Amino acid sequence: PRIARDAAAVAEYIGDPRFQVRTTPRLAAEIVRAIAENVSRAHEIAAPLLVLHGTGGTIAPPAGSALVSSRVSSVDATRLTY
């Protein structure tokens, strides 16, 4: 999968000893649970919000930040993709 546009950043990311290519069922379940909680509680964000989301990677799809951004209650919320 494409991690980033910057080859040096990809090499640094993959070279990090904490980089994992596998996960446990427990970690996967916790990630899914955390995503659901963040989406369900997004309406609680009333402070000004700026969301920046890169579109060149594959780890965090832009649809996720679009969903959360659309659910905040802040009147000053901006989402920018690059």
Side-chain angles (χ1 to χ4, degrees):
R2 184 174 175 172
I3 296 171
R5 294 179 184 137
D6 182 342
V10 172
E12 183 178 351
Y13 182 82
I14 292 173
D16 187 317
R18 296 167 291 188
F19 174 72
Q20 298 290 315
V21 293
R22 291 181 285 163
T23 188
T24 64
R26 169 80 186 260
L27 178 58
E30 288 298 320
I31 290 170
V32 169
R33 184 202 58 75
I35 290 169
E37 181 178 355
N38 286 333
V39 170
S40 72
R41 295 185 64 189
H43 70 277
E44 298 176 21
I45 301 173
L49 178 68
L50 173 61
V51 177
L52 302 174
H53 199 126
T55 59
T58 58
I59 294 174
S65 66
L67 177 62
V68 172
S69 297
S70 71
R71 294 189 178 195
V72 300
S73 61
S74 173
V75 296
D76 184 11
T78 302
R79 177 176 170 269
L80 302 173
T81 58
Y82 58 94

